Amino acid sequence: MAETLKILVEAVAEYAIPVILFSILTLGVFKKVKMFEAFVEGAKGGFEVAIKIIPFLVAILVAIGMFRASGAMDYLISFITPLTDLIGLPAEALPVAIMRPLSGSGSLGLVTEIMETHGPDSFIGNLVSTMYGSTETTFYVLAVYFGSVGVTRTRHAVAAGLLADAAGLIAALLICRLVF
Amino acid sequence: MLNYVWISLVFVSLVVGAVNGTLPEVTEAAFNMAKTSVSIAMGLIGVMALWMGILKIAEEGGLHRFLARLLRPVSKRLFPDIPHDHPAIMNMLLNLSANWLGLSNAATPFGLKAMEDLQRLNQNSKTASNAMVVFLALNTAAITFVPVTILAVRSSLNSVSPGAIIGSTIVAGVCATVTGVVAAKLLEKLPVFRRKADVTSESVAEEGK
């Protein structure tokens, strides 16, 4: 079972992109698209978009970097601990929950550290792995995606994203209690 | 709201930094992250160009019409404002599928292209459209069938069964996604989040041609 799964996962990682490329190019051949021209025309946009997101990346990553470096992140965690004790979230897992929407590399660091200490197959190891896999770096995505098109009034996007994160984290806790 | 989050992060960091005596670290973090941001963007240029080129071929080949027809039953509920054969649907689907497969290199270019399409429908307004918020809820909640990064970390730490968490990750991701979409749909009706009437429906009708 574990072996089949491993083979499947590796196959996806190895073949997904070649298959996508092949399919789209084959489609282009059949539809007689002027491939080279179309490719270059589209690719021109790549530079522009990458440059356009720089200010937004700087804004969000600097703010989060400062927040972590100042020690404010630790205060936030100790402030929320009583709440998470109520739902039975292990104390070590809480920083992961808070860090996840803010910083991908930060939360991955925490997850790795927890698995190193407790072992990847421990309950908490499985829990933080699930938490990491089932949510995204919400603030980063919002800042970059909205930033790239110049939207500054984001309305309910932050609220919806954070509610989704919270639901994902709680669901991760419940499902892990059930299966591990 | 991103506005308030941002200013709170910076302000709290400065105050806490002053109280804790960690101001030098705070300053250093700010400069380091500013540099990191640019290297992230630079690293993105090539991949962005590659995928946007491929996407252009897909678009001219008519892939978006095919996918849009296939997704019609779902997309008309999630994105009632988007004309059903608009390329935005294809780009959003590609972004989400890349996320599901854990292909983060491909996901960002598709996602940014999708935002570009949505913004055209939004008549380049500075205010987010309902479709954008639903799309980003789907995106940030992220169902991952192949959580590549976490599998790699688990393997490197000699896990007996690195893939054990795939099932639980999918279930938690589905919960997050459903919550995100429902929240986006409900919150868009709240007076606080409602957009001003000036740029809404007429822009959509025009782009639909």
Side-chain angles (χ1 to χ4, degrees):
Chain A
M1 179 61 197
E3 267 309 294
T4 344
L5 195 73
K6 199 175 160 218
I7 293 168
L8 203 73
V9 167
E10 277 169 6
V12 169
E14 204 168 314
Y15 296 112
I17 288 182
V19 168
I20 294 173
L21 285 177
F22 182 78
S23 318
I24 292 180
L25 293 179
T26 312
L27 174 86
V29 171
F30 275 108
K31 295 279 181 170
K32 300 196 172 60
V33 175
K34 287 195 179 111
M35 305 269 243
F36 188 74
E37 281 93 332
F39 181 88
V40 173
E41 181 63 31
K44 273 182 203 159
F47 182 76
E48 212 177 293
V49 175
I51 298 303
K52 227 167 34 183
I53 62 173
I54 290 179
F56 301 92
L57 275 175
V58 172
I60 201 81
L61 292 180
V62 164
I64 290 164
M66 288 169 73
F67 195 70
R68 283 176 62 193
S70 68
M73 181 73 88
D74 304 326
Y75 289 139
L76 182 64
I77 289 165
S78 54
F79 183 71
I80 300 182
T81 305
L83 266 176
T84 47
D85 281 350
L86 276 180
I87 57 165
L89 185 72
E92 288 114 312
L94 177 64
V96 179
I98 295 175
M99 187 76 88
R100 190 67 186 104
L102 292 170
S103 156
S105 55
S107 51
L108 185 64
L110 289 173
V111 167
T112 311
E113 194 186 299
I114 288 173
M115 287 202 281
E116 262 168 5
T117 326
H118 298 269
D121 300 306
S122 61
F123 172 75
I124 188 160
N126 286 324
L127 173 65
V128 291
S129 301
T130 305
M131 282 163 60
Y132 182 88
S134 58
T135 47
E136 254 286 347
T137 46
T138 304
F139 285 105
Y140 174 87
V141 170
L142 291 184
V144 171
Y145 279 39
F146 277 130
S148 74
V149 293
V151 167
T152 45
R153 282 190 293 272
T154 57
R155 296 171 65 215
H156 50 306
V158 174
L162 287 183
L163 280 171
D165 286 338
L169 294 170
I170 293 170
L173 178 63
L174 295 179
I175 183 88
C176 285
R177 280 244 196 82
L178 222 59
V179 293
F180 296 119
Chain B
M1 199 163 164
L2 206 52
N3 226 333
Y4 297 116
V5 173
W6 188 77
I7 191 68
S8 324
L9 283 175
V10 175
F11 197 65
V12 169
S13 311
L14 291 174
V15 173
V16 172
V19 174
N20 274 1
T22 48
L23 278 179
E25 285 91 331
V26 174
T27 320
E28 203 194 318
F31 287 130
N32 280 340
M33 291 315 264
K35 264 189 221 155
T36 309
S37 313
V38 176
S39 38
I40 292 176
M42 289 298 153
L44 209 58
I45 295 176
V47 194
M48 276 300 301
L50 169 62
W51 282 113
M52 286 177 76
I54 297 289
L55 278 177
K56 187 77 188 168
I57 296 177
E59 219 179 290
E60 293 200 355
L63 182 65
H64 62 284
R65 277 190 294 275
F66 170 73
L67 290 177
R69 211 172 309 140
L70 208 70
L71 287 172
R72 184 89 198 275
V74 188
S75 65
K76 75 177 175 203
R77 279 192 187 82
L78 286 179
F79 306 105
D81 305 334
I82 298 179
H84 67 92
D85 59 349
H86 197 272
I89 304 272
M90 169 180 84
N91 289 326
M92 286 194 281
L93 178 73
L94 286 171
N95 165 263
L96 295 172
S97 343
N99 269 337
W100 294 336
L101 297 176
L103 310 170
S104 45
N105 265 345
T108 310
F110 293 149
L112 293 176
K113 189 74 188 20
M115 285 304 280
E116 210 179 283
D117 295 333
L118 293 176
Q119 180 64 340
R120 237 180 301 131
L121 290 172
N122 195 22
Q123 279 205 335
N124 294 318
S125 163
K126 281 191 178 317
T127 310
S129 66
N130 289 341
M132 287 177 179
V133 180
V134 172
F135 170 54
L136 288 180
L138 281 169
N139 183 303
T140 58
I143 301 172
T144 318
F145 295 104
V146 191
V148 182
T149 319
I150 210 76
L151 289 175
V153 174
R154 288 171 68 88
S155 301
S156 74
L157 295 172
N158 302 319
S159 166
V160 197
S161 150
I165 48 95
I166 290 184
S168 56
T169 303
I170 294 174
V171 175
V174 170
C175 293
T177 303
V178 171
T179 311
V181 171
V182 171
K185 285 284 179 196
L186 292 178
L187 291 175
E188 74 187 28
K189 297 194 179 73
L190 286 185
V192 216
F193 293 128
R194 202 174 288 156
R195 52 179 308 161
K196 287 166 202 80
D198 52 300
V199 272
T200 41
S201 46
E202 68 276 12
S203 54
V204 174
E206 208 193 334
E207 269 285 332
K209 302 288 152 60

Coordinates of all heavy atoms in Angstrom, one line a residue, chain B residues 34-69:
Chain B
A34 N 13.3 42.6 2.4 CA 13.2 43.4 1.2 C 14.1 42.8 0.1 O 13.6 42.7 -1.0 CB 13.6 44.8 1.6
K35 N 15.3 42.4 0.5 CA 16.2 41.7 -0.5 C 15.6 40.4 -1.0 O 15.6 40.2 -2.2 CB 17.5 41.5 0.1 CG 18.5 42.6 -0.2 CD 19.9 42.1 0.3 CE 20.6 43.2 1.0 NZ 21.7 42.8 2.0
T36 N 15.1 39.6 0.0 CA 14.5 38.3 -0.4 C 13.4 38.5 -1.4 O 13.2 37.7 -2.3 CB 14.0 37.6 0.9 OG1 15.0 37.6 1.8 CG2 13.6 36.2 0.6
S37 N 12.5 39.5 -1.1 CA 11.4 39.7 -2.0 C 11.8 39.9 -3.5 O 11.2 39.3 -4.4 CB 10.6 41.0 -1.6 OG 10.4 41.0 -0.3
V38 N 12.9 40.7 -3.7 CA 13.3 40.9 -5.0 C 13.9 39.6 -5.6 O 13.6 39.3 -6.8 CB 14.4 42.0 -5.1 CG1 14.9 42.2 -6.5 CG2 13.7 43.3 -4.7
S39 N 14.6 38.8 -4.8 CA 15.1 37.6 -5.4 C 14.0 36.6 -5.7 O 14.1 35.9 -6.7 CB 16.2 36.9 -4.6 OG 16.0 37.0 -3.3
I40 N 12.9 36.6 -5.0 CA 11.8 35.8 -5.3 C 11.2 36.2 -6.6 O 11.0 35.4 -7.5 CB 10.7 35.9 -4.2 CG1 11.2 35.2 -2.9 CG2 9.4 35.2 -4.7 CD1 10.2 35.3 -1.7
A41 N 11.0 37.5 -6.8 CA 10.4 38.0 -8.0 C 11.3 37.7 -9.2 O 10.8 37.3 -10.3 CB 10.2 39.5 -7.9
M42 N 12.6 37.9 -9.0 CA 13.6 37.7 -10.1 C 13.5 36.2 -10.5 O 13.5 35.8 -11.7 CB 15.0 38.0 -9.7 CG 15.2 39.5 -9.6 SD 15.0 40.3 -11.2 CE 14.5 41.9 -10.6
G43 N 13.5 35.3 -9.5 CA 13.4 33.9 -9.8 C 12.1 33.5 -10.5 O 12.1 32.5 -11.2
L44 N 11.1 34.4 -10.4 CA 9.9 34.1 -11.0 C 9.8 34.4 -12.5 O 9.0 33.9 -13.3 CB 8.8 34.8 -10.2 CG 7.4 34.2 -10.2 CD1 7.4 32.9 -9.6 CD2 6.5 35.2 -9.4
I45 N 10.7 35.4 -12.9 CA 10.6 35.9 -14.3 C 10.6 34.8 -15.3 O 9.7 34.7 -16.2 CB 11.7 36.9 -14.6 CG1 11.5 38.1 -13.7 CG2 11.7 37.3 -16.0 CD1 12.6 39.2 -13.8
G46 N 11.6 33.9 -15.3 CA 11.8 32.9 -16.3 C 10.6 31.9 -16.3 O 10.0 31.7 -17.4
V47 N 10.2 31.5 -15.1 CA 9.1 30.5 -15.0 C 7.8 31.1 -15.5 O 7.0 30.5 -16.2 CB 9.0 30.0 -13.6 CG1 8.1 28.8 -13.6 CG2 10.3 29.7 -13.0
M48 N 7.6 32.4 -15.1 CA 6.4 33.1 -15.5 C 6.4 33.2 -17.0 O 5.3 32.9 -17.6 CB 6.4 34.6 -15.0 CG 6.0 34.8 -13.6 SD 4.3 34.4 -13.2 CE 3.3 35.4 -14.4
A49 N 7.5 33.6 -17.6 CA 7.5 33.7 -19.1 C 7.2 32.4 -19.8 O 6.4 32.3 -20.7 CB 8.9 34.3 -19.5
L50 N 7.9 31.3 -19.3 CA 7.6 30.0 -19.8 C 6.2 29.6 -19.8 O 5.6 29.3 -20.9 CB 8.5 29.0 -19.1 CG 8.1 27.5 -19.4 CD1 8.4 27.2 -20.8 CD2 8.9 26.6 -18.5
W51 N 5.5 29.7 -18.6 CA 4.1 29.3 -18.5 C 3.2 30.2 -19.2 O 2.2 29.8 -19.8 CB 3.7 29.1 -17.1 CG 4.3 27.8 -16.5 CD1 5.2 27.7 -15.6 CD2 4.0 26.5 -16.9 NE1 5.5 26.4 -15.3 CE2 4.7 25.6 -16.2 CE3 3.1 25.9 -17.9 CZ2 4.7 24.2 -16.3 CZ3 3.0 24.6 -18.0 CH2 3.8 23.7 -17.2
M52 N 3.5 31.5 -19.2 CA 2.6 32.4 -19.9 C 2.6 32.2 -21.4 O 1.6 32.4 -22.1 CB 2.8 33.9 -19.5 CG 2.3 34.1 -18.1 SD 2.6 35.7 -17.4 CE 1.3 36.6 -18.3
G53 N 3.8 31.8 -21.9 CA 3.9 31.5 -23.3 C 3.1 30.2 -23.7 O 2.4 30.2 -24.6
I54 N 3.2 29.2 -22.8 CA 2.5 28.0 -23.1 C 1.0 28.2 -23.0 O 0.2 27.7 -23.8 CB 2.9 26.9 -22.0 CG1 4.4 26.5 -22.1 CG2 2.0 25.7 -22.1 CD1 4.7 25.7 -23.4
L55 N 0.6 29.1 -22.0 CA -0.8 29.4 -21.8 C -1.4 30.1 -23.1 O -2.5 29.9 -23.4 CB -1.0 30.3 -20.6 CG -1.0 29.6 -19.3 CD1 -1.2 30.6 -18.2 CD2 -2.2 28.6 -19.2
K56 N -0.5 30.9 -23.7 CA -1.0 31.6 -24.9 C -1.3 30.6 -26.0 O -2.3 30.8 -26.7 CB 0.1 32.6 -25.3 CG -0.4 33.5 -26.4 CD -1.2 34.6 -25.9 CE -1.8 35.4 -27.1 NZ -2.9 36.3 -26.6
I57 N -0.5 29.6 -26.1 CA -0.7 28.6 -27.1 C -2.0 27.9 -26.8 O -2.9 27.6 -27.6 CB 0.4 27.6 -27.2 CG1 1.7 28.3 -27.6 CG2 0.1 26.4 -28.1 CD1 2.9 27.4 -27.6
A58 N -2.2 27.5 -25.5 CA -3.4 26.8 -25.1 C -4.7 27.7 -25.4 O -5.7 27.2 -25.9 CB -3.4 26.6 -23.6
E59 N -4.5 29.0 -25.2 CA -5.7 29.9 -25.4 C -6.0 29.9 -26.9 O -7.2 29.8 -27.3 CB -5.3 31.3 -24.9 CG -6.4 32.0 -24.2 CD -6.0 33.3 -23.7 OE1 -5.2 33.4 -22.7 OE2 -6.4 34.4 -24.3
E60 N -5.0 30.1 -27.7 CA -5.2 30.2 -29.2 C -5.7 28.9 -29.7 O -6.4 28.8 -30.7 CB -4.0 30.7 -29.9 CG -3.7 32.1 -29.5 CD -2.8 32.8 -30.5 OE1 -2.3 32.2 -31.4 OE2 -2.5 34.0 -30.3
G61 N -5.3 27.8 -29.0 CA -5.8 26.5 -29.5 C -7.3 26.2 -29.0 O -7.9 25.2 -29.4
G62 N -7.8 27.1 -28.2 CA -9.2 27.0 -27.8 C -9.4 26.1 -26.6 O -10.5 25.7 -26.3
L63 N -8.3 25.8 -25.9 CA -8.5 24.9 -24.7 C -9.5 25.5 -23.7 O -10.2 24.8 -23.0 CB -7.1 24.7 -24.0 CG -7.1 23.8 -22.8 CD1 -7.5 22.4 -23.2 CD2 -5.7 23.8 -22.1
H64 N -9.4 26.9 -23.5 CA -10.3 27.5 -22.5 C -11.8 27.3 -22.8 O -12.6 27.1 -21.9 CB -10.0 29.0 -22.4 CG -10.3 29.8 -23.6 ND1 -9.4 29.8 -24.7 CD2 -11.3 30.6 -23.9 CE1 -9.9 30.6 -25.6 NE2 -11.0 31.1 -25.2
R65 N -12.1 27.2 -24.1 CA -13.6 27.0 -24.4 C -14.0 25.6 -24.0 O -15.1 25.3 -23.5 CB -13.8 27.2 -25.9 CG -14.1 28.7 -26.2 CD -14.6 28.9 -27.6 NE -13.6 28.5 -28.6 CZ -12.6 29.3 -29.0 NH1 -12.5 30.6 -28.6 NH2 -11.7 28.9 -29.9
F66 N -13.1 24.6 -24.3 CA -13.4 23.2 -24.0 C -13.5 23.0 -22.5 O -14.5 22.5 -22.0 CB -12.2 22.3 -24.5 CG -12.3 20.9 -24.0 CD1 -13.3 20.0 -24.5 CD2 -11.4 20.4 -23.1 CE1 -13.3 18.7 -24.1 CE2 -11.4 19.1 -22.7 CZ -12.4 18.3 -23.1
L67 N -12.5 23.5 -21.7 CA -12.6 23.4 -20.3 C -13.7 24.1 -19.7 O -14.4 23.7 -18.7 CB -11.3 24.0 -19.6 CG -10.0 23.1 -19.9 CD1 -8.8 23.8 -19.3 CD2 -10.1 21.7 -19.3
A68 N -14.1 25.3 -20.2 CA -15.2 26.1 -19.7 C -16.5 25.3 -19.8 O -17.3 25.3 -18.9 CB -15.2 27.4 -20.4
R69 N -16.6 24.7 -21.0 CA -17.9 23.9 -21.2 C -18.0 22.8 -20.2 O -19.0 22.5 -19.6 CB -17.9 23.4 -22.7 CG -19.3 23.2 -23.2 CD -19.3 22.9 -24.7 NE -18.4 23.7 -25.5 CZ -17.6 23.3 -26.5 NH1 -17.5 22.0 -26.8 NH2 -16.9 24.2 -27.1

